[in-house]
Amino acid sequence: MPTKRARNDAKPADSPRPGQSCRTWLMVGPDDFQLDTLARRQIDQLLPPAEQAFGLETIDAAAGTVGEAAAILRRLLETLRTPAMFAKRRLVWARNAAFLDDKIISRGKEILPLAGELATLIAAGLPPEQYLIVTASGVQPNSPLANAFAKHGALLRQEAAKPWRRQEESLAHAARELRQAGLTASPATVAKLVARVGADTRQLHQEIIKLAIYLGARRQVEPDDIGEVVSATRDYFVWDLEDAAAQGNLPQALAILRRLLFQREDPIRLVNTLETRFRYLLILEEAVRNGWITPRPGKVAGGAALPPQLSKVFEGDRRMANPYTRNILAQQAAKFNSAALLRARRDILTARQLLVSSRTPPALIMDLLIIKLCRLAARPKSRGRAGF
């Protein structure tokens, strides 16, 4: 059976019913909460809730050593080979088997023969009315288990959100979770929720449950409710700072910077990524000015492809090979003129020099740099002279 791909919000593909040939599933992906949701949907299709008390056996497959992983595989093999005593149908769920993607553990001397036994069992077919689901963050390619699931069962790969679509997908997921909890919220309130919690789907789920309990009979979520109840757990990424600075959003950029420094991000790394972003903006500003790219809100970049002398700078950066990403950056570049972008790059280089040669606290240097960049981004483009 060919490998299938499931989006984060997708239902199981080609879910078999009792009596169909597929009895084994391997579900892999980076989001453990979404994998659990996918697995539970499959379980509910195969076993009615009334049968799950005796028919469902969940094995915690988390393992940090070869010995722990070997013990899990032995238990799994023993369970699959032992007839169910109190249930007509039985489903075994090996949950969080991250060791399948560990290069060291998955190739351990104890693991290889046990994984081979499990692959043989899957290839031969489980007994009637017996099913197996394994969820894991990943699986080593071309391993016997991966091949067995792909050929004789189902191998479902959860698609990770692309970095440039992470915010969009997080907002959509939060809106779905709110609806499922019977809550309503304006787009601005949903955005505030995501800004506070981040993209972690399990954390979003837990915070929305807290909101539902806090609101009681009230179903409308207001912006103030987010600050009252929701924990600030979001981890920011460097490109969040790049976007906020390029858009001239000073309050957001400073908040993200302080969070990144709290997360122990290296200030030199932050400066280097900002330098790359504003170098790209300088190139794209020329492309926009000459009509090679036309920024289109909500759409991919249009116009002719970048000429070779400009596109060379993007070589090796897969993000810039994507038209969607280029369009977002082109929209940012269109807010500047070349003089402002050259001034921004000088400010960034000055900040980098200060970080390595002065005794000024790095946090202060970064604060001042972000203020300068956001001020440049907020200035009207018609004003050609760089500087304050």
Side-chain angles (χ1 to χ4, degrees), residues 5-13 15 28-39 41-42 45 156-161 168-177 179-180 199 201:
R5 294 187 177 273
R7 291 184 59 83
N8 287 346
D9 59 344
K11 296 180 180 179
S15 302
V28 298
D31 191 322
D32 65 327
F33 179 73
Q34 291 292 342
L35 282 182
D36 284 359
T37 301
L38 194 62
R41 288 176 184 168
Q42 188 69 76
Q45 289 191 19
L156 278 69
R157 295 188 183 275
Q158 177 196 57
E159 292 182 358
E168 177 185 334
E169 295 194 10
S170 296
L171 291 170
H173 176 78
R176 285 194 303 272
E177 287 276 345
R179 287 195 300 270
Q180 291 171 5
T201 54

Side-chain angles (χ1 to χ4, degrees), residues 319-333:
R319 294 179 304 170
M320 294 305 296
N322 187 286
Y324 181 91
T325 304
R326 281 206 309 272
N327 185 59
I328 294 298
L329 267 63
Q331 293 178 52
Q332 295 173 3

Side-chain angles (χ1 to χ4, degrees), residues 171-376:
L171 291 170
H173 176 78
R176 285 194 303 272
E177 287 276 345
L178 287 166
R179 287 195 300 270
Q180 291 171 5
L183 303 177
T184 58
S186 67
T189 303
V190 175
K192 185 175 181 179
L193 172 64
V194 171
R196 194 166 179 83
V197 179
D200 188 307
T201 54
R202 188 180 298 277
Q203 191 66 38
L204 274 170
H205 178 74
Q206 293 172 351
E207 296 300 330
I208 288 171
I209 290 175
K210 285 167 53 179
L211 271 173
I213 295 172
Y214 170 77
L215 294 176
R218 179 161 62 93
R219 299 287 86 186
Q220 178 69 32
V221 183
E222 301 296 341
D224 289 344
D225 298 327
I226 306 298
E228 289 289 334
V229 181
V230 176
S231 302
T233 59
R234 175 174 181 171
D235 281 342
Y236 282 97
F237 298 89
V238 177
W239 56 75
D240 293 315
L241 179 63
E242 296 173 31
D243 284 337
Q247 292 162 2
N249 190 332
L250 180 59
Q252 184 183 35
L254 287 175
I256 294 172
L257 171 64
R258 285 157 191 168
R259 183 70 181 183
L260 287 170
L261 294 176
F262 177 78
Q263 293 168 202
R264 300 187 180 278
E265 285 286 352
D266 183 1
I268 295 292
R269 177 172 180 257
L270 297 180
V271 167
N272 288 341
T273 58
L274 285 168
E275 194 279 330
T276 299
R277 170 62 65 93
F278 278 84
R279 176 160 50 90
Y280 285 178
L281 294 182
L282 184 61
I283 296 167
L284 290 171
E285 188 276 335
E286 180 179 357
V288 170
R289 179 161 32 89
N290 288 291
W292 299 323
I293 286 182
T294 302
R296 299 179 181 180
K299 299 180 180 180
V300 300
L306 290 175
Q309 63 268 32
L310 292 182
S311 61
K312 285 182 180 179
V313 74
F314 299 145
E315 288 180 355
D317 192 332
R318 289 184 297 176
R319 294 179 304 170
M320 294 305 296
N322 187 286
Y324 181 91
T325 304
R326 281 206 309 272
N327 185 59
I328 294 298
L329 267 63
Q331 293 178 52
Q332 295 173 3
K335 298 177 63 174
F336 295 88
N337 55 44
S338 59
L341 288 169
L342 287 170
R343 173 60 187 269
R345 293 197 66 200
R346 288 198 297 271
D347 289 336
I348 292 170
L349 295 175
T350 300
R352 182 161 58 191
Q353 184 177 7
L354 289 172
L355 284 172
V356 300
S357 64
S358 77
R359 295 184 179 181
T360 307
L364 177 58
I365 295 173
M366 294 302 301
D367 273 356
L368 292 174
L369 174 61
I370 292 301
I371 291 170
K372 291 178 181 179
L373 295 179
C374 288
R375 188 173 176 183
L376 284 170

Side-chain angles (χ1 to χ4, degrees), residues 1-237:
M1 183 173 291
T3 299
K4 302 179 179 65
R5 294 187 177 273
R7 291 184 59 83
N8 287 346
D9 59 344
K11 296 180 180 179
D14 297 340
S15 302
R17 297 179 178 82
Q20 290 183 307
S21 59
C22 183
R23 299 184 181 278
T24 55
W25 293 262
L26 174 58
M27 304 175 181
V28 298
D31 191 322
D32 65 327
F33 179 73
Q34 291 292 342
L35 282 182
D36 284 359
T37 301
L38 194 62
R40 292 186 187 281
R41 288 176 184 168
Q42 188 69 76
I43 290 167
D44 289 341
Q45 289 191 19
L46 295 167
L47 286 179
E51 297 183 24
Q52 292 181 17
F54 294 104
L56 174 62
E57 181 164 353
T58 303
I59 296 175
D60 182 359
T65 66
V66 171
E68 292 174 354
I72 290 167
L73 287 172
R74 290 192 190 97
R75 180 184 171 189
L76 184 56
L77 286 165
E78 181 181 358
T79 302
L80 292 172
R81 288 167 175 165
T82 304
M85 297 182 62
F86 303 105
K88 180 180 178 182
R89 284 177 286 183
R90 181 170 65 179
L91 190 152
V92 180
W93 177 15
R95 184 182 177 193
N96 193 24
F99 68 88
L100 295 177
D101 199 30
D102 189 296
K103 293 182 179 179
I104 296 176
I105 295 178
S106 64
R107 297 172 184 173
K109 292 182 178 179
E110 291 182 81
I111 302 301
L112 290 175
L114 291 170
E117 285 186 49
L118 182 57
T120 300
L121 187 62
I122 292 169
L126 297 183
E129 308 299 335
Q130 185 157 282
Y131 308 94
L132 169 65
I133 294 176
V134 179
T135 54
S137 56
V139 62
Q140 286 294 295
N142 298 321
S143 66
L145 271 179
N147 291 333
F149 277 105
K151 292 179 181 179
H152 306 285
L155 174 55
L156 278 69
R157 295 188 183 275
Q158 177 196 57
E159 292 182 358
K162 302 297 183 184
W164 51 85
R165 293 189 181 274
R166 183 170 52 86
Q167 179 73 5
E168 177 185 334
E169 295 194 10
S170 296
L171 291 170
H173 176 78
R176 285 194 303 272
E177 287 276 345
L178 287 166
R179 287 195 300 270
Q180 291 171 5
L183 303 177
T184 58
S186 67
T189 303
V190 175
K192 185 175 181 179
L193 172 64
V194 171
R196 194 166 179 83
V197 179
D200 188 307
T201 54
R202 188 180 298 277
Q203 191 66 38
L204 274 170
H205 178 74
Q206 293 172 351
E207 296 300 330
I208 288 171
I209 290 175
K210 285 167 53 179
L211 271 173
I213 295 172
Y214 170 77
L215 294 176
R218 179 161 62 93
R219 299 287 86 186
Q220 178 69 32
V221 183
E222 301 296 341
D224 289 344
D225 298 327
I226 306 298
E228 289 289 334
V229 181
V230 176
S231 302
T233 59
R234 175 174 181 171
D235 281 342
Y236 282 97
F237 298 89

